[in-house]
Amino acid sequence: MTRLAELRLYRIDMPLVRPFRTSFGTQDTRDVLLLQAITNDGISGWAECVAMEWPGYSYEYVDGAVDVLAEHLIPAAVADGTIDPHVVHRRMSRLMGHPMAKAALETAVLDAWLRTEQRSLADYLGAVRTEVDCGVSVGIPVDESIDSLLEEVSGYVDAGYRRIKLKIQPGWDVQAVRAVRETWPDIPLQTDANQAYTRDDGPVLAAMDPYDLLLVEQPLPEDDLLGHALLAQQISTPVCLDESIISVATADTAIAFKAASIINIKPGRVGGYLESREIHDLCLERGVPVWCGGMLETGVGRAANVALAALPGFTLPGDTSASSRYYAVDITPPFVLDDGRLRVPTGPGIGVEPVPAILDELTTWSAVIDVANP
Ligand code: OSB
Ligand code: MG
């Protein structure tokens, strides 16, 4: 019987092609935690933990993810060597929080299991597309100039991206949106505030209504569902939630109380691809459009996200950009945009793996954890 023999953790340092500034901070590099789940017959499952270096987007962060994985999640979920991702999911659900760490462990096991079964993640999740429409998330220019913004957006429009998302915050909002809309009257456009506004900011958010935005993402703090519902009554731009949606239950609540009419599904934020699929199914049933968010993933996380984005309810372009949007050198063969789309991997599991020499060169720390003592 196939069982898990060993888990390897790697931390890699990935320089971004340009700094990424949001309302919660600026990043120049991505400190990525990778998991490799190795079976007794030498098959490797791979996953990327999307926690960032510091708790700016959510409370999780890389050091914390390493700790909770090594001390709690791995011992609780895979000590007997199971490679059944549903068993791993159920066992981890008895521990609170830490969805990004849980998602990484579940996905590494899921990938190993699917490779053993010779089945692709896209097929397993229920993909209906062979390629997905791609958008791009544009940070706040470090020099806060509209010229820099237009230059960056221009590069993405030329590259073929099918939707532009502008990061906004108080002081960097209406002007930026107006400039991009006036330069590209027809491009699908949306904004993401990462919780930077308050319940009193209805007027400034309404000031962006004339620019034909697909949605505004997470304007208010993550715990303020009522605030989002009240805001949705004050603006005509649809409200989309990212940080607030951490589970099927929160998605159901947000929809029922009209706090969101569109949902960004990020597997790390909700604890994995199994939970992501359930949120997708619920939203499809409720007629709520979803799209696949991103966390500046390497090719490992990107491959799995692209598979998820191929499900039928993902009707809006995702933050599933090409490798070159983020990194000069990706750790997998690069994802390349073709007519504004990325191809869904078809190989077993997530369909890609790190190039050993590149992984080796970028690794700053690694650990081996024996998981099964038969
Ligand atoms: O809020 O969607 C977000 C990146 C890091 C953390 C949070 C977010 C983002 C992005 C970039 O917007 C998405 C991507 O291109 O990966
Ligand atoms: Mg977001």
Side-chain angles (χ1 to χ4, degrees):
M1 250 249 316
T2 304
R3 61 173 181 80
L4 211 56
E6 190 178 291
L7 267 163
R8 292 191 187 184
L9 276 57
Y10 305 80
R11 271 174 93 152
I12 60 173
D13 192 27
M14 299 279 288
L16 288 163
V17 292
R18 52 157 47 95
F20 188 63
R21 179 173 169 192
T22 63
S23 62
F24 61 79
T26 306
Q27 283 174 274
D28 300 296
T29 66
R30 188 82 174 85
D31 176 5
V32 181
L33 174 64
L34 293 178
L35 262 64
Q36 181 183 17
I38 307 171
T39 69
N40 60 335
D41 22 57
I43 287 172
S44 284
W46 288 94
E48 174 167 352
C49 178
V50 300
M52 300 194 315
E53 233 170 312
W54 81 105
Y57 165 79
S58 75
Y59 64 84
E60 289 185 273
Y61 60 103
V62 186
D63 287 323
V66 169
D67 186 78
V68 77
L69 278 161
E71 301 298 329
H72 301 285
L73 299 175
I74 291 170
V78 294
D80 62 354
T82 185
I83 60 157
D84 182 336
H86 299 92
V87 168
V88 170
H89 184 91
R90 183 160 21 86
R91 290 175 177 169
M92 290 194 297
S93 70
R94 290 171 200 147
L95 296 168
M96 294 296 106
H98 302 282
M100 294 175 180
K102 287 175 176 171
L105 181 55
E106 182 182 290
T107 306
V109 172
L110 175 61
D111 187 38
W113 177 67
L114 288 169
R115 287 179 198 257
T116 304
E117 305 270 308
Q118 287 286 309
R119 188 167 177 200
S120 73
L121 178 63
D123 178 55
Y124 169 74
L125 292 174
V128 293
R129 283 183 274 272
T130 56
E131 46 187 22
V132 300
D133 287 358
C134 298
V136 60
S137 175
V138 186
I140 298 162
V142 180
D143 66 2
E144 293 182 40
S145 96
I146 294 288
D147 284 350
S148 302
L149 176 70
L150 295 180
E151 190 186 311
E152 185 175 346
V153 172
S154 165
Y156 296 139
V157 171
D158 291 348
Y161 283 102
R162 290 173 174 264
R163 177 274 275 156
I164 301 292
K165 159 171 141 183
L166 302 181
K167 290 291 192 180
I168 57 168
Q169 66 180 15
W172 181 263
D173 43 35
V174 186
Q175 256 193 311
V177 166
R178 185 195 307 127
V180 171
R181 176 50 81 217
E182 283 173 357
T183 311
W184 293 279
D186 300 321
I187 191 106
L189 185 63
Q190 65 194 50
T191 57
D192 185 1
N194 290 108
Q195 319 183 50
Y197 294 87
T198 72
R199 285 191 187 186
D200 297 331
D201 288 325
V204 69
L205 292 161
M208 287 176 274
D209 284 341
Y211 303 107
D212 190 23
L213 301 176
L214 286 168
L215 57 91
V216 54
E217 183 180 347
Q218 199 70 44
L220 306 181
E222 62 177 15
D223 60 352
D224 195 7
L225 287 183
L226 175 57
H228 284 99
L230 294 170
L231 176 67
Q233 296 176 345
Q234 297 168 55
I235 66 178
S236 61
T237 302
V239 174
C240 169
L241 291 178
D242 173 354
E243 287 91 322
S244 296
I245 306 300
I246 58 171
S247 58
V248 174
T250 47
D252 201 10
T253 304
I255 294 166
F257 291 103
K258 301 193 180 333
S261 50
I262 298 173
I263 286 176
N264 164 337
I265 300 182
K266 266 184 202 173
R269 196 194 63 225
V270 305
Y273 290 85
L274 303 179
E275 189 81 11
S276 295
R277 178 171 56 185
E278 278 194 53
I279 295 174
H280 161 273
D281 294 350
L282 173 87
C283 290
L284 196 59
E285 207 179 286
R286 299 272 195 279
V288 169
V290 302
W291 54 281
C292 184
M295 291 291 288
L296 313 176
E297 285 90 347
T298 71
V300 170
R302 192 162 310 286
N305 284 352
V306 167
L308 179 69
L311 269 60
F314 285 79
T315 52
L316 291 167
D319 282 346
T320 47
S321 309
S323 295
S324 63
R325 150 72 184 87
Y326 314 91
Y327 306 110
V329 180
D330 205 335
I331 57 162
T332 63
F335 280 82
V336 178
L337 212 60
D338 181 3
D339 195 22
R341 299 191 173 100
L342 289 184
R343 196 161 273 291
V344 180
T346 54
I350 64 170
V352 303
E353 47 220 79
V355 177
I358 301 177
L359 177 62
D360 215 48
E361 187 173 318
L362 296 172
T363 298
T364 57
W365 172 89
S366 65
V368 180
I369 302 175
D370 288 323
V371 288
N373 305 297

